[in-house]
């Protein structure tokens, strides 16, 4: 025969592939019948590998790839001979038992949680995909059904010329119905004031809040404006006429290059030291953590003492060759149930079986907020 002969054929469909269909596909493709794998609809995506294991795909694959100790010689039995025999033993392993429990928990949530995603790229489905996945991981861990309320940041700004009164009112009505709020990262001025307004609402209404990268910078600016009474506080990224150490809450990093933009960001995995007794220290369980970064601007360290004196605590810091960097900011739990923001991107280290602690804290606080609202109603 000419051409490629497949070792396996995975057949995607709504219903499980019946035996007659498998026999026909096997006959016309010269593929063993038990190497025809049915990839049919299941209740959630985490059941897909379990479904494939039920068809003994893991054993056949290990044998076909000659992975020791499952296949020691090239002339051993054909991989398709292991139709009902799990030669790998993986189905009884701890990792698969934990994965099965994870899949079961997705199908049996205890409650629903609505999280507002306030950003400028909400019409681009994949723009916040990592954040959505991190929220999903924590929703599973806290036994909640996650619903995301997408809100265009500029729609929350009454002074935005492109926002009508109707759109403005609708955006605020959606935000106020949410159990938690996320302000993710981004670049550029568009929608920034709307993010600041969303953060102000989260702080004053005690709605659980998580800010990421620009979201942290916006939370610092909001606090400067509305708590320290510095109405002109802003970021040097958007304004270049700010009074030094008075209005420039966010500054350009000293080692950065304004002329050459390429390759001048603070990138990659960096260490953060968390303060004892902080919310983040409680959830991470460690003093030193490693998270990934991507930014050119940072909190002005000269303004930190006045902000901390007013109640905004910089509980995560990084000391590198350029000086002390503010990495995590939060309000005391006695003041707010969960108001946390980070300069780094915690979504990049979240996994289904191990959600990122910052997202887990948000979803846990949001679950409590949703339960409290339900009790009042």
């Amino acid at each position: 025969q000419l051409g490629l002969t497949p070792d396996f054929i995975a057949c995607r469909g709504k219903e499980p592939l019946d035996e007659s269909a498998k026999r026909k596909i096997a006959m016309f493709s010269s593929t063993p019948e038990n190497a025809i794998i049915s990839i049919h609809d299941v209740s959630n995506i985490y059941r897909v590998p379990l479904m494939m294991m039920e068809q003994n795909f893991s054993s056949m694959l290990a044998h076909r790839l000659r992975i020791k100790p499952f296949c020691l010689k090239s002339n051993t039995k054909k991989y398709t001979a292991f139709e009902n025999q799990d030669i790998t033993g993986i189905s009884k392993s701890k990792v698969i038992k934990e994965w099965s429990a994870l899949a079961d928990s997705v199908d049996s949530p205890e409650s629903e949680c609505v999280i507002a995603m306030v950003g400028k790229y909400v019409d681009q489905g994949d723009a916040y995909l990592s954040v959505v996945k991190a929220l999903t991981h924590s929703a599973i861990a806290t036994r909640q059904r996650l619903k995301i309320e997408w809100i265009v940041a500029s729609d929350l700004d009454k002074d935005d010329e492109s926002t009508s009164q109707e759109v403005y009112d609708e955006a605020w009505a959606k935000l106020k119905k949410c159990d938690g709020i996320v302000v993710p990262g981004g670049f550029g001025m568009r929608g920034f004031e709307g993010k600041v307004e969303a953060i102000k609402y989260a702080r004053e209404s005690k709605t659980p809040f998580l800010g990421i990268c620009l979201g942290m910078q916006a939370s610092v600016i909001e606090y400067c404006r509305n708590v320290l009474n510095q109405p002109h506080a802003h970021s040097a990224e958007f304004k270049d006429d700010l009074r030094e150490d008075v209005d420039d809450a966010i500054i350009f990093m000293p080692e950065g290059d304004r002329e050459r933009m390429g390759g001048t960001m603070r990138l990659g995995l960096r260490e953060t030291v968390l303060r004892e007794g902080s919310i983040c220290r409680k959830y991470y369980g460690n003093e030193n953590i490693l998270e990934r970064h991507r930014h050119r601007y940072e909190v002005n360290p000269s303004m930190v003492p006045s902000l901390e004196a007013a109640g905004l605590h910089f509980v995560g810091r990084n000391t590198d060759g350029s000086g002390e960097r503010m990495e995590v900011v939060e309000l005391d739990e006695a003041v707010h149930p969960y108001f946390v923001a980070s300069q780094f991107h915690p979504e990049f280290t979240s996994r289904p079986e191990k959600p990122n602690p910052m997202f887990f804290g948000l979803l846990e606080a949001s679950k409590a907020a949703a339960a409290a609202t339900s009790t009042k109603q």
Side-chain angles (χ1 to χ4, degrees):
Q1 294 182 356
L2 299 176
L4 297 173
T5 301
D7 293 306
F8 303 96
I9 296 179
C11 300
R12 180 73 181 94
K14 188 175 183 180
E15 302 295 334
L17 204 63
D18 58 40
E19 294 305 314
S20 62
K22 283 189 176 184
R23 284 194 297 271
K24 189 170 185 179
I25 294 171
M27 180 176 65
F28 281 98
S29 63
S30 298
T31 304
E33 190 176 322
N34 61 326
I36 310 299
I37 309 299
S38 176
I39 309 293
H40 47 270
D41 286 359
V42 285
S43 57
N44 67 72
I45 195 172
Y46 303 104
R47 292 203 181 279
V48 173
L50 301 177
M51 170 183 63
M52 297 176 75
M53 285 179 54
E54 288 171 1
Q55 300 171 72
N56 209 26
F57 180 69
S58 54
S59 291
M60 290 190 291
L61 183 62
H63 196 77
R64 178 65 186 86
L65 296 177
R66 299 172 185 170
I67 298 174
K68 296 180 180 180
F70 311 119
C71 186
L72 301 178
K73 298 178 181 178
S74 60
N75 62 348
T76 53
K77 277 198 303 184
K78 190 170 177 59
Y79 64 95
T80 50
F82 300 98
E83 185 171 359
N84 298 307
Q85 180 186 357
D86 180 12
I87 62 171
T88 65
I90 192 174
S91 60
K92 298 179 181 179
S93 66
K94 182 182 179 214
V95 66
I96 294 303
K97 288 179 180 178
E98 291 176 350
W99 191 267
S100 297
L102 183 148
D104 291 339
S105 68
V106 175
D107 290 336
S108 55
E110 297 173 350
S111 58
E112 182 176 87
C113 182
V114 184
I115 300 294
M117 186 84 76
V118 182
K120 62 187 291 187
Y121 314 117
V122 297
D123 57 337
Q124 301 172 27
D126 291 344
Y128 302 113
L129 185 59
S130 296
V131 179
V132 172
K133 292 298 182 183
L135 287 168
T136 302
H137 301 160
S138 289
I140 294 170
T142 54
R143 304 296 293 268
Q144 298 181 87
R145 182 185 297 107
L146 176 67
K147 178 183 177 183
I148 295 179
E149 193 70 77
W150 296 94
I151 299 175
V152 178
S154 57
D155 291 348
L156 299 172
D157 180 12
K158 65 178 184 297
D159 296 325
D160 191 287
E161 295 180 355
S162 65
T163 303
S164 67
Q165 186 63 46
E166 182 182 357
V167 170
Y168 174 80
D169 292 340
E170 182 181 344
W172 274 104
K174 288 198 296 184
L175 183 71
K176 291 179 179 180
K177 290 179 181 178
C178 294
D179 305 308
I181 298 172
V182 174
V183 176
F187 294 91
M189 180 64 186
R190 181 171 63 86
F192 182 76
E193 294 301 328
K195 293 180 180 182
V196 172
E197 288 300 316
I199 294 168
K200 179 184 178 184
Y201 169 77
R203 179 176 59 81
E204 294 180 341
S205 66
K206 301 188 188 305
T207 302
F209 164 76
L210 176 62
I212 301 170
C213 199
L214 184 61
M216 170 183 163
Q217 296 175 6
S219 67
V220 171
I221 290 171
E222 187 280 324
Y223 212 82
C224 286
R225 290 179 183 178
N226 299 304
V227 178
L228 293 185
N229 297 316
Q230 296 174 203
H232 301 295
H234 221 297
S235 170
E237 180 180 0
F238 309 129
K239 288 183 175 291
D240 55 10
D241 58 347
L242 300 172
R243 291 178 296 169
E244 186 176 354
D245 296 340
V246 178
D247 297 328
D248 58 343
I250 307 300
I251 60 173
F252 192 75
M253 292 187 299
E255 73 274 27
D257 189 336
R258 292 182 183 273
E259 302 301 323
R260 184 175 62 87
M261 299 302 287
T264 61
M265 301 183 81
R266 184 168 180 253
L267 292 169
L269 208 64
R270 310 263 179 167
E271 185 179 59
T272 296
V273 181
L274 298 176
R275 184 182 299 172
E276 180 70 41
S278 64
I279 297 172
C280 280
R281 177 73 175 271
K282 177 181 73 174
Y283 280 105
Y284 274 96
N286 294 310
E287 179 183 7
N288 299 79
I289 63 171
L290 292 170
E291 295 286 3
R292 288 162 60 185
H293 295 68
R294 189 172 186 267
H295 64 107
R296 288 192 183 92
Y297 293 81
E298 64 173 335
V299 175
N300 186 347
S302 299
M303 300 185 71
V304 169
S306 58
L307 285 163
E308 290 214 302
L312 190 64
H313 304 295
F314 292 85
V315 300
R317 305 191 184 199
N318 169 285
T319 302
D320 55 23
S322 302
E324 193 170 40
R325 291 261 153 75
M326 303 302 124
E327 296 279 6
V328 181
V329 63
E330 62 184 48
L331 291 176
D332 193 89
E333 281 186 294
V335 176
H336 194 288
Y338 194 85
F339 188 98
V340 176
S342 66
Q343 184 61 71
F344 51 74
H345 288 264
E347 68 271 23
F348 293 149
T349 57
S350 185
R351 300 291 181 269
E353 68 281 11
K354 190 178 180 181
N356 180 274
M358 296 185 79
F359 282 92
F360 182 83
L362 173 72
L363 267 293
E364 196 171 63
S366 298
K367 184 176 185 178
T373 301
S374 178
T375 301
K376 289 179 182 178
Q377 293 175 345

